[in-house]
């Protein structure tokens, strides 16, 4: 546990960093965000959706386990009227099918896929079935859509054009000596893998530190 | 007056057979009879000319028909097929004139006065009507004259009907056979006994004598024979709901076969919609199963459409969503497709507006996503006006509604906010407290020692109703770094959400 001295993070802290990171997610390619629970990986995915809807675009969230929290997302700036939410009842095959359909449909700026840890039978030696991933990659290829997976571990194999890994640095608690409220979460986002010309400006190992403010402060 | 009127008659001969052929186009050109559905004595209601050439006549029993050499195809009379056919015939008429009268099965009158500026002379109008009927799957006869009776008799003349010039009805109809009139068998026998064979001979008889011998029907028949019918059109409006029905002689036992049958209805529906220059705002399909149950589904395209290419994938997706991809619960014996047409005005987008998604592709994609994930799990989420946690509602996603595409979003701020992963359904947990603070958590999703926590945050609401609620929330950090939210209500502890 780490308890910072300051009472609350400065407003907008980490915003510039996240903007440049969000710009790096390529359109017409498959990207992946890897991170365990409380790493900030879902927050990064949510930030992509917020940016798309704030720009007036449509976005889709394929939610394999149905964990999306609309109330906190709306407080974070997500325009729910421009978001298609697809709950898949914990079925990865349904999630992949929905993602494939949405990636091929013109009109969505971002198709975000929040995956569960895949069961062993749908895994290849490193991740999801390779043919399914190749089909997804071909489906989104050439389109103006950013297709992003979020998963607790790397599942997209070599198909992903960009893989970023999110690790928790430390949670921020406010109040000494006993915490009185959760002040946020500091994450380190690092580029784990790039492929193709789109993400060439990124180098594997490049990293950002982002502090996520709690939803009630958004 | 009749010199000013120009009426066309659309007449479908052998109506019951025509309806059966329209429902099953493969019968076209075959010797077909339609049988009454009453068992055990099923009798011939109507027969095509080819079947009549084989000696089949109305009133024969099914056994007599089947005993004929060189097989005749028998089909049972289906009232729904005839209703669909009548609807299609009316649409052909409404597509050409706003003043249309439905005069009976397979018989429609329409006012064609003034159409020469649009379509050419009367012959061109008749030809156009004939071709439109063929496109609707009907071999209709077309007659044009100055009255309803004249138009009806003109439709029965020639190979496919004739056009009678203005004021020449009596002269043109005079040589025609009396059989063109709708005479009862008794009346036909009576006129035959008088030696009358043509319409002209009947028309030439003195009205007073006819009235004395035949009553009011006599002069009326003579007036019809002269092509006189002063009664104005009783106009009817177009049907607000279009319906196509198909009884399946070969029951469908698989989803692909059913989708194919429904696709055929969809194509017919698209043709009808195009004919009336409208688009389907909503469609509904109903399947009757062999176990006497029905399955139904509805679909609403993102934008009204009349393109078969757009309707068919939506229908397939709707079928799949309702019936699943596995075997059908029972064989399907009949399918019905209904469409609610609306008139769609062309829209012009602004130069500064962001490009809208392709409505057709979007509608098809949404339908297929719904088929894959279920309608209850796909849509736009709406926050309800309540402080109760997770008070949300899912509504159909309508991205093309006003204000959904283009411009800045309603929440234009960009925030690096911590996301919340809500646990659904509620996950009960065991929490150990020390000094009133949680120190350990055990649940089916998360377990571990709690190293930091903050709370309780107390919330309650709806105290004025039976649905009142109250709970305490704690933010907690487990030893492995996981940040979660615990909640406690009267029923115990549960894992509410995980911060990520």
């Amino acid at each position: 546990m780490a308890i910072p001295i300051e009472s609350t993070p400065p407003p907008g802290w980490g915003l510039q960093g996240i903007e440049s990171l969000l710009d790096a997610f390529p359109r017409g390619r498959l990207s992946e965000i890897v991170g365990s629970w409380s790493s900030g990986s879902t927050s990064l995915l949510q930030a992509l959706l917020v940016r798309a809807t704030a720009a007036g675009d449509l976005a889709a969230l394929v939610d394999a386990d149905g964990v999306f929290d609309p109330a906190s997302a709306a407080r974070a700036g997500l325009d729910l009227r421009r978001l298609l939410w697809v709950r898949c009842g914990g079925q990865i095959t349904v999630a992949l099918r929905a993602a494939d359909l949405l990636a091929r449909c013109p009109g969505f700026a971002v198709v975000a896929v929040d995956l569960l840890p895949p069961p062993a039978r749908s895994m290849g030696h490193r991740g999801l079935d390779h043919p399914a991933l190749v089909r997804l990659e071909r489906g989104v290829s050439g389109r103006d859509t950013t297709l992003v997976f979020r998963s607790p571990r790397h599942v997209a194999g070599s198909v992903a054009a960009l893989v970023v890994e999110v690790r928790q640095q430390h949670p921020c608690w406010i109040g000494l000596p006993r915490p009185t409220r959760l002040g946020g979460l500091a994450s380190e986002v690092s580029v784990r893998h790039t492929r193709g010309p789109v993400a060439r400006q990124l180098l594997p190992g490049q990293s950002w530190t982002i502090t996520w403010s709690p939803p009630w402060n958004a | 007056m009749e010199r000013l009127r120009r009426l066309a008659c659309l007449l479908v001969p052998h109506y019951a057979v025509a309806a059966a052929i329209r429902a099953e186009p493969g019968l076209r050109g075959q010797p077909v009879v339609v049988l009454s559905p009453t068992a055990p004595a099923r009798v011939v209601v109507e027969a095509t000319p080819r079947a009549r050439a084989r000696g089949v006549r109305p009133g024969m029993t099914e056994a007599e028909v089947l005993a004929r050499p060189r097989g005749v195809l028998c089909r049972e009379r289906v009232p729904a097929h005839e209703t669909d056919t009548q609807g299609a015939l009316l649409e052909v008429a409404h597509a050409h004139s706003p003043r249309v009268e439905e005069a009976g099965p397979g018989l429609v009158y329409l006012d064609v006065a003034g159409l020469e500026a649009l379509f050419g002379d009367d012959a061109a109008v008749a030809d156009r009507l004939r071709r439109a009927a063929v496109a609707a799957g009907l071999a209709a006869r077309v007659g044009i004259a100055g009255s309803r009776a004249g138009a009806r008799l003109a439709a029965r003349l020639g190979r496919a009907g004739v056009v009678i010039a203005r004021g020449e009805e009596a002269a043109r109809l005079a040589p025609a056979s009396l059989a063109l009139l709708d005479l009862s068998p008794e009346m036909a026998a009576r006129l035959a006994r008088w030696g009358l064979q043509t319409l002209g001979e009947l028309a030439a008889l003195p009205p007073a004598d006819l009235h004395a011998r035949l009553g009011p029907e006599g002069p009326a028949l003579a007036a019809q024979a002269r092509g006189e019918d002063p009664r104005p059109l009783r106009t009817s409006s177009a049907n607000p709901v279009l319906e196509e029905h198909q009884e399946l002689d070969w029951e469908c036992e698989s989803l692909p076969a059913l989708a194919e049958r429904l696709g055929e209805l969809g194509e017919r529906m698209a043709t009808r919609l195009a004919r009336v220059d409208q688009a389907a705002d909503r469609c509904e399909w109903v399947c009757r199963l062999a176990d006497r149950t029905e399955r139904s589904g509805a679909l609403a395209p993102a934008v009204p459409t009349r393109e078969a290419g757009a309707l068919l994938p939506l229908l397939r997706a709707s079928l799949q969503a309702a019936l699943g991809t596995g075997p059908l619960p029972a064989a399907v014996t009949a399918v019905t497709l209904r469409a609610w047409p609306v008139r769609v005005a062309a829209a012009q987008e602004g130069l500064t507006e962001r490009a809208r998604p392709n409505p057709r592709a979007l509608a098809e994609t949404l339908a297929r996503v719904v088929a894959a994930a279920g309608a209850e799990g796909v849509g736009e989420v709406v926050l309800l006006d309540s402080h109760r946690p997770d008070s949300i509602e899912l509504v159909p996603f309508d991205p093309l509604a006003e204000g959904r595409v283009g411009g800045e979003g309603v929440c234009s701020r960009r925030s690096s906010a911590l996301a919340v992963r809500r646990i659904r359904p509620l996950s009960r947990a065991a929490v150990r407290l020390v000094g009133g603070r949680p120190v350990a958590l055990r649940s089916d999703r998360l377990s571990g020692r709690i190293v930091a926590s903050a709370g309780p945050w107390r919330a309650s609401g709806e105290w004025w109703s039976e649905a009142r609620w109250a709970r305490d929330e704690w933010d907690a950090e487990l030893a492995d770094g996981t940040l979660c939210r615990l909640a406690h209500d009267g029923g115990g502890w549960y894992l509410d959400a995980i911060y990520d």
Side-chain angles (χ1 to χ4, degrees), chain A residues 1 23 25 30 39-40 60 72 128 144 162 170 178 199 206:
Chain A
M1 181 177 67
D23 286 338
F25 282 87
L30 170 64
S39 64
S72 62
L128 295 173
D144 206 21
L162 170 66
H170 56 80
R178 173 177 286 183
Q206 192 174 348

Side-chain angles (χ1 to χ4, degrees), chain B residues 168-225:
Chain B
E168 295 182 5
E169 282 83 4
R172 185 76 166 78
L173 294 173
S177 166
L178 269 181
L180 296 187
L181 290 176
D182 297 317
L183 299 175
S184 63
E186 297 78 20
M187 182 63 74
R190 197 165 187 178
L191 296 181
R193 280 201 302 276
W194 292 355
L196 300 179
Q197 293 182 340
T198 65
L199 296 176
E201 291 167 354
L202 175 62
L205 294 177
D209 292 347
L210 276 174
H211 191 279
R213 287 167 176 77
L214 301 177
E217 191 180 358
L221 284 174
Q224 282 189 38

Side-chain angles (χ1 to χ4, degrees), chain B residues 261-420:
Chain B
R261 296 285 88 75
L262 199 57
E264 291 170 3
L265 295 191
E267 286 179 2
R268 294 217 295 260
M269 187 65 76
T271 306
R272 290 176 66 177
L273 288 166
R275 194 179 307 122
V276 295
D277 193 25
Q278 293 190 334
D281 186 38
R282 184 163 68 91
C283 289
E284 178 184 283
W285 57 265
V286 181
C287 289
R288 194 177 69 220
L289 305 183
D291 60 4
R292 296 180 182 273
T293 61
E294 285 190 346
R295 298 296 170 91
S296 62
L299 58 101
V303 291
T305 181
R306 61 167 176 251
E307 296 178 37
L311 276 177
L312 300 190
L314 295 178
L315 283 172
R316 273 196 291 271
S318 177
L319 266 182
Q320 193 178 338
L323 301 175
T325 54
L328 297 176
V332 177
T333 59
V335 287
T336 303
L337 178 64
R338 299 188 188 95
W340 280 257
V342 293
R343 197 166 292 283
V344 180
Q348 174 70 52
E349 293 186 2
L351 286 174
T352 56
E353 288 181 11
R354 191 181 301 268
R356 288 170 178 260
N358 180 339
R360 177 175 157 179
L362 195 59
E364 182 181 338
T365 301
L366 286 176
R368 295 172 74 181
V369 170
V370 165
E376 68 285 353
V378 180
E380 170 193 329
V381 62
V382 174
L383 301 177
L384 301 179
D385 186 16
S386 168
H387 291 291
R388 182 189 290 273
D390 207 22
S391 292
I392 58 172
E393 182 185 26
L394 216 56
V395 299
F397 187 55
D398 186 10
L400 301 177
E402 197 64 31
R404 301 298 169 93
V405 180
E408 288 295 301
V410 290
C411 304
S412 57
R413 60 196 160 149
R414 299 175 185 183
S415 170
S416 53
L418 185 59
V420 175

Side-chain angles (χ1 to χ4, degrees), chain A residues 1 38-43 54-57 65-69 75 77 82 85 87 105 114 168 173 178 180 213, chain B residues 354 365 376-377 379 403-404 406-409 411 413 416 418-419 421-422 424 437 445 452 457 477 481 483 499-500:
Chain A
M1 181 177 67
S38 300
S39 64
S41 56
T42 307
S43 302
D57 290 325
D65 205 18
V67 296
F68 174 59
D69 183 48
R75 279 196 293 271
R82 292 172 172 163
W85 185 23
R87 291 184 290 186
C105 177
D114 193 342
Q168 184 192 92
W173 291 98
R178 173 177 286 183
T180 55
S213 56
Chain B
R354 191 181 301 268
T365 301
E376 68 285 353
R404 301 298 169 93
E408 288 295 301
C411 304
R413 60 196 160 149
S416 53
L418 185 59
R421 299 176 70 85
R422 187 166 282 282
R424 299 188 185 93
R437 300 182 71 87
R445 299 213 183 196
W457 311 109
E477 178 188 350
L483 289 169
Y499 294 107
D500 183 26

